[in-house]
């Protein structure tokens, strides 16, 4: 059976609505009382797998799901072996460099040599500063990255920004953008090439639904 | 001012009670409405920093906190450059290998060559199987590791088990234990050696409180 990996969190609602528009109903995942991580669509043709956003490309890469929906930011950070098929346009955010608004840094080039940058996206951050030829130490954090500059542990952060509210509340401002991110449809490369479970048809429907909504 | 990094989640309540027993009150972190991540104790002598469990050793290693409380599991996985001072005895859990109860594997040695093991603790898992001389592929996941065996993506998982309820609910059983974990008091090595902010006195008090409670 065709399996679609869906990301918990921000992108879930939109992902489920998109799949509903092509006839696959996984809306049970949106029930607040739901504890199931695997749901079969009412039509019996497809299964939804509800996992952490970062885990979506893992299930797709290993072929446990033929398709998946995930943010471009996760793909940039993990560089998984998956086929990127469609930009789904929702879930807009950007990967930004931010610093204390009260400080003097207004560009990444203002940061001191051997300065520190805290981030949950260590690969993205490292690559960005290497391309700028800036010797920066990346401090890997799992949460509340804004504490880096606030406590003085780092001069800057690299983090995902959507409304910018968290930055403002913590007295931080963006000084550069690494890239913009939206939700993407991804597929297992082999499954896509061999058209396993006729995924080509579903992909065509999703593409058409995207075109119609623009 | 002396700063103590405290872990969000399971260990927080016990950590705060322990610090209260030596005169430092960070109980405001337990208020459900609290959004602050930094709190100064009423005595004005110490600051509490509320961060993700995995980030506690980072703040301690970089000296933004002189002391921290964190699970042994995090120290085993990250191997941070911190001084381990005290076993605080609470927060017991164990790092275990688990497989499907319905399958035939009853020991790690039963796992097939080039089998797959899903885990959030990739370093612990890799080291364990290397020491057993078993060629195992580690699949890194961020959440719901139990889906590994359930979906057939992996033969086993390596995960933290406390009551074992999640395993039972998912039809999994433990077949080996890597190590047992409890909360630990850690310190910045240099701060500990130089007795910055007189942390030696606080450590002595915490040691005495631990001895008294046994």
């Amino acid at each position: 059976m065709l399996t679609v990996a869906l990301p918990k969190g921000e992108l879930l609602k939109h992902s489920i609505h998109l799949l509903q528009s092509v006839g696959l109903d996984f809306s049970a995942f949106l029930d607040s009382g739901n504890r199931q991580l695997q749901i079969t669509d009412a039509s019996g043709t497809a299964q939804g797998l509800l996992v952490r956003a970062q885990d979506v490309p893992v299930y797709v890469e290993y072929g446990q799901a033929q398709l998946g929906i995930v943010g471009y930011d996760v793909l940039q950070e993990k560089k998984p072996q998956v086929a990127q098929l469609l930009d789904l346009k929702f879930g807009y955010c950007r990967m930004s460099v931010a610093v204390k608004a009260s400080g003097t840094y207004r560009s990444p080039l203002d940061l001191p040599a051997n300065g520190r940058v805290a981030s949950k996206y260590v690969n993205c951050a490292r690559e960005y500063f290497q391309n700028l030829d800036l010797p920066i130490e990346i401090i890997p954090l799992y949460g509340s990255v804004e504490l880096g500059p606030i406590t003085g542990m780092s001069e800057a952060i690299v983090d995902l920004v959507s409304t910018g509210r968290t930055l403002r509340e913590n007295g931080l401002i963006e000084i550069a953008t690494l890239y913009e991110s939206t939700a993407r449809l991804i597929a297992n490369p082999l499954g896509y090439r061999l058209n396993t479970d006729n995924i080509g048809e579903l992909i065509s429907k999703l593409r058409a639904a995207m075109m119609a909504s623009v």
Side-chain angles (χ1 to χ4, degrees), chain A:
Chain A
M1 196 190 309
L2 175 66
T3 299
V4 185
L6 297 171
K8 290 182 184 178
E10 296 290 317
L11 301 180
L12 184 60
K13 211 169 152 183
H14 261 101
S15 302
I16 284 174
H17 290 167
L18 176 67
L19 290 166
Q20 275 178 322
S21 75
V22 298
L24 293 179
D25 185 10
F26 300 121
S27 56
F29 281 146
L30 294 175
D31 294 345
S32 55
N34 173 62
R35 286 195 64 188
Q36 282 194 285
L37 301 177
Q38 288 179 300
I39 288 178
T40 303
D41 167 64
S43 70
T45 55
Q47 189 182 53
L49 197 62
L50 184 64
V51 300
R52 287 273 197 108
Q54 297 99 320
D55 292 343
V56 166
V58 179
Y59 285 93
V60 173
E61 186 172 336
Y62 281 92
Q64 244 55 41
Q66 288 77 48
L67 290 174
I69 294 177
V70 68
Y72 180 69
D73 58 299
V74 175
L75 300 175
Q76 277 296 98
E77 178 65 16
K78 303 286 171 197
K79 304 255 194 305
Q81 298 294 313
V82 296
Q84 294 189 38
L85 302 180
L86 270 178
D87 181 347
L88 301 175
K89 307 288 185 188
F90 60 84
Y92 172 83
C93 52
R94 53 193 181 275
M95 190 64 75
S96 294
V97 183
V99 297
K100 271 186 169 176
S102 60
T104 57
Y105 310 126
R106 287 299 173 265
S107 149
L109 298 173
D110 294 339
L111 292 171
N114 301 306
R116 291 172 179 168
V117 174
S119 188
K120 285 179 261 186
Y121 298 83
V122 292
N123 296 325
C124 289
R126 188 174 294 117
E127 201 179 316
Y128 176 75
F129 286 103
Q130 273 176 356
N131 286 342
L132 288 180
D133 215 5
L134 280 179
I136 289 287
E137 180 179 2
I138 309 295
I139 303 181
L141 288 181
Y142 282 76
S144 304
V145 178
E146 60 276 10
L147 272 178
I150 291 173
T151 62
M153 183 164 67
S154 73
E155 277 79 24
I157 63 174
V158 165
D159 207 14
L160 218 46
V161 180
S162 53
T163 63
R165 193 182 146 199
T166 306
L167 291 185
R168 277 193 302 278
E169 286 183 349
N170 288 285
L172 303 177
I173 52 164
E174 290 171 79
I175 58 170
T177 298
L178 281 66
Y179 56 78
E180 301 187 319
S181 176
T182 48
R184 303 295 161 104
L185 181 70
I186 59 172
N188 178 276
L190 196 64
Y192 178 57
R193 185 171 278 266
L194 300 177
N195 198 23
T196 314
D197 295 309
N198 200 16
I199 63 167
E201 193 185 320
L202 181 59
I203 295 164
S204 298
K205 282 186 195 168
L206 287 166
R207 188 172 279 125
M210 284 303 302
M211 297 292 273
S213 71
V214 173

